[in-house]
Amino acid sequence: MKEYQTITEVSGPLVFAEVDEPVGYDEIVEIETQQGETLRGQVLESSEGLVSIQVFEGTGGIDRNASVRFLGETMKMPVTEDLLGRVLDGSGNPIDGGPEIVPDKREDIVGAAINPYSREYPEEFIQTGVSAIDGMNTLVRGQKLPIFSSSGQPHNELAMQIARQATVPEEAAEDEATDEPGSDEDGELGEGADDEGSEFAVIFGAMGITAEEANEFMDDFERTGALERSVVFMNLADDPAVERTVTPRMALTTAEYLAFEEGYHVLVILTDMTNYCEALREIGAAREEVPGRRGYPGYMYTDLAQLYERAGRIQGREGSVTQIPILTMPGDDDTHPIPDLTGYITEGQIYVDPALNSQGFKPPINVSPSLSRLMDDGIGEGLTRGDHADVKDQLFAAYAQGKDLRDLVNIVGREALSETDNKYLDFADRFEETFVDQGFDSNRSIDETLEIGWDLLSALPKEQLNRIDEDLIAEHYREDVGEQVEATAD
């Protein structure tokens, strides 16, 4: 620990101080104001006896009469299994009125990407209870699958739905579980446990959200009981922007401890990554850095990769870290630097669609541009169901054909289309009304999702199901569904 140093300048969120010996990048500092207040900061840059410091609590009250002390270590997060059920601010301090946290250890929040040699390939299904995700763009353990939204869309409601519903299917758990930790005497897993006896936890990191949004999140967590298996980090819109750069790292450090030290399967939900990137831009401007695209720092790709690549599984470890970052695309533009760079790093994306939202669909997920690059390895016999891949392919194809015909109908009218084309038109409408529009309080199992898919496909002629194995058609196709649809149309 170094002696107190002199502050030379305060500029925006930054403080500049003289030093008489080298200090490390990211080193934590304590700033004492004349009023006796102690604030924490972090070294951003050091050169020729001068350092720039970003202050987590904001620079209010700091002047040249304040003093700085360098602690000689980087920022660390106190971690323990007892964090489950707790609510913390963006810097990791408890704000729920609960007891003081007694950590098992303190972990460096910077962390590191998982060594590719040690990575275990993600291929185990996570059930979110949302058909548009589970059925069409499946999430697997260890994946990073962002949600692309825009301002005014119900991405927060979707985040809350996933946070409270995400689990591993009980059927799979009962097939493989015996009396391992997390199971009861009958060999059936308790709530939140997975197929290997490990437990499931949710880390929720909110950055730059309003007080109203924070209250909605907390009300939902407490009402549904999801808080018991969750750790919540809250950085509000009126909190310093600098703190936003710390919040996701706090959340991921906690997730890594629970996953790789305690054996939990952890789902990390980060919202809103756009606010995080805006904080990077604000800090970069204060440091007078040369801006990159649209004023964002040139290193934003590297910075985002440092966060996203902390998801995954490690060989020889029971737990896993799965990420769902949520970002609002400025102007609903997916070529904007934030979604563009995110898409390069992550393994797919889920699109929240303004057009579907305006029609009242909940959740308004557009499955057509959505993608889960790891889906094919996380579905099938022993993971979800043997017919999952074929049903998904046929649903995608039929929905795409139905949407194409909507454009044609605007020109020639329905009367000019064939009987089969009209069935595809009806299919697209029914797909959105029954498969996608399930509501934010509906929790569907993967079996329920696939059965709804078969109901939709059974309204099409058998000969049109050219992406499904004949044996599966013989087992699941329902002749009576087509007859009911025709009778309703008549």
Side-chain angles (χ1 to χ4, degrees):
M1 184 181 295
K2 303 177 180 65
E3 296 299 321
Y4 280 108
Q5 307 294 322
T6 304
I7 288 178
T8 60
E9 183 183 352
V10 179
S11 175
L14 302 182
V15 168
F16 297 87
E18 292 180 346
V19 291
D20 50 18
E21 58 182 291
V23 297
Y25 176 72
D26 276 348
E27 186 172 332
I28 295 301
V29 303
E30 287 183 350
I31 300 176
E32 279 198 13
T33 67
Q34 274 195 311
Q35 295 75 29
E37 186 179 8
T38 301
L39 306 175
R40 288 194 308 164
Q42 189 174 29
V43 174
L44 278 182
E45 192 174 1
S46 175
S47 63
E48 298 181 359
L50 186 69
V51 298
S52 59
I53 302 163
Q54 60 180 0
V55 184
F56 299 133
E57 294 90 346
T59 55
I62 301 177
D63 55 25
R64 293 191 177 190
N65 295 316
S67 54
V68 180
R69 181 169 56 188
F70 296 86
L71 302 185
E73 64 176 16
T74 56
M75 192 168 188
K76 298 184 183 297
M77 173 72 192
V79 289
T80 170
E81 195 173 1
D82 293 337
L83 283 169
L84 289 168
R86 301 300 301 271
V87 182
L88 315 172
D89 66 13
S91 296
N93 303 308
I95 55 173
D96 55 3
E100 182 181 346
I101 295 173
V102 180
D104 293 333
K105 60 194 301 188
R106 297 171 73 239
E107 295 279 7
D108 193 324
I109 69 163
V110 175
I114 298 173
N115 188 326
Y117 180 80
S118 302
R119 278 187 182 272
E120 190 172 311
Y121 192 80
E123 54 184 5
E124 294 166 300
F125 171 61
I126 289 179
Q127 180 173 288
T128 66
V130 180
S131 293
I133 297 176
D134 295 345
M136 309 295 283
N137 301 282
T138 306
L139 177 68
V140 300
R141 275 184 264 174
Q143 185 177 7
K144 39 195 181 290
L145 185 64
I147 294 175
F148 287 4
S149 184
S150 57
S151 297
Q153 305 308 309
H155 46 269
N156 286 340
E157 288 83 350
L158 179 58
M160 288 187 284
Q161 183 175 18
I162 294 172
R164 66 175 175 264
Q165 294 180 179
T167 186
V168 171
E170 293 181 5
E171 293 82 356
E174 291 172 0
D175 287 342
E176 298 185 23
T178 52
D179 288 328
E180 299 179 22
S183 61
D184 60 22
E185 295 179 356
D186 297 327
E188 296 182 356
L189 291 176
E191 183 179 352
D194 88 326
D195 57 329
E196 295 175 347
S198 298
E199 293 186 86
F200 198 91
V202 175
I203 309 295
F204 191 89
M207 294 160 283
I209 64 172
T210 65
E212 181 182 0
E213 290 173 322
N215 291 333
E216 288 175 357
F217 280 125
M218 292 314 305
D219 288 344
D220 188 81
F221 274 113
E222 293 169 358
R223 176 179 60 83
T224 61
L227 186 59
E228 294 179 8
R229 60 165 186 167
S230 304
V231 185
V232 179
F233 292 83
M234 285 285 186
N235 168 267
L236 301 184
D238 58 351
D239 289 331
V242 170
E243 189 178 82
R244 263 159 239 157
T245 66
V246 174
T247 303
R249 291 175 169 81
M250 291 279 185
L252 288 167
T253 301
T254 304
E256 288 167 344
Y257 173 78
L258 291 175
F260 305 132
E261 300 290 335
E262 300 293 339
Y264 283 79
H265 290 292
V266 184
L267 176 63
V268 182
I269 299 176
L270 301 173
T271 183
D272 182 340
M273 292 305 295
T274 299
N275 293 334
Y276 171 84
C277 294
E278 292 293 344
L280 288 183
R281 182 162 67 171
E282 182 179 334
I283 294 168
R287 295 172 64 183
E288 299 182 355
E289 297 171 338
V290 177
R293 271 203 300 166
R294 302 201 189 184
Y296 291 95
Y299 53 79
M300 190 167 76
Y301 177 89
T302 303
D303 194 281
L304 289 174
Q306 288 174 342
L307 298 178
Y308 296 147
E309 292 297 344
R310 292 172 73 173
R313 302 201 66 176
I314 298 177
Q315 293 179 11
R317 305 286 183 95
E318 288 187 13
S320 63
V321 176
T322 306
Q323 281 190 38
I324 298 184
I326 299 173
L327 57 91
T328 51
M329 301 179 289
D332 200 27
D333 176 15
D334 58 8
T335 66
H336 186 277
I338 301 173
D340 188 34
L341 297 179
T342 295
Y344 278 116
I345 304 166
T346 56
E347 294 125 2
Q349 65 280 324
I350 303 296
Y351 274 88
V352 175
D353 188 75
L356 292 176
N357 184 46
S358 66
Q359 297 174 57
F361 294 121
K362 301 177 182 179
I365 294 175
N366 187 351
V367 301
S368 298
S370 298
L371 170 69
S372 173
R373 294 190 179 96
L374 302 183
M375 175 176 184
D376 290 344
D377 296 306
I379 63 175
E381 197 68 47
L383 295 167
T384 52
R385 251 175 44 174
D387 59 334
H388 190 163
D390 286 4
V391 169
K392 177 261 297 182
D393 289 344
Q394 193 67 64
L395 287 173
F396 266 124
Y399 183 49
Q401 188 163 343
K403 289 204 297 182
D404 288 342
L405 288 166
R406 286 174 177 171
D407 296 332
L408 185 60
V409 165
N410 292 331
I411 301 172
V412 301
R414 290 196 67 146
E415 297 77 11
L417 301 182
S418 66
E419 181 182 350
T420 300
D421 285 345
N422 275 293
K423 287 186 176 181
Y424 275 109
L425 272 174
D426 293 335
F427 174 91
D429 292 337
R430 294 183 64 231
F431 178 84
E432 292 171 352
E433 293 165 359
T434 62
F435 195 92
V436 174
D437 185 25
Q438 67 176 76
F440 289 117
D441 295 317
S442 173
N443 186 2
R444 292 176 179 169
S445 68
I446 187 60
D447 281 328
E448 290 174 315
T449 291
L450 293 176
E451 291 307 312
I452 293 171
W454 275 111
D455 282 341
L456 292 167
L457 294 174
S458 296
L460 298 173
K462 271 187 183 181
E463 59 271 17
Q464 295 294 317
L465 306 185
N466 52 14
R467 296 174 182 265
I468 302 181
D469 186 89
E470 291 182 359
D471 292 339
L472 293 175
I473 294 175
E475 180 180 354
H476 295 282
Y477 187 84
R478 297 155 195 169
E479 303 280 357
D480 58 317
V481 172
E483 295 171 1
Q484 291 172 5
V485 171
E486 289 181 6
T488 303
D490 293 340

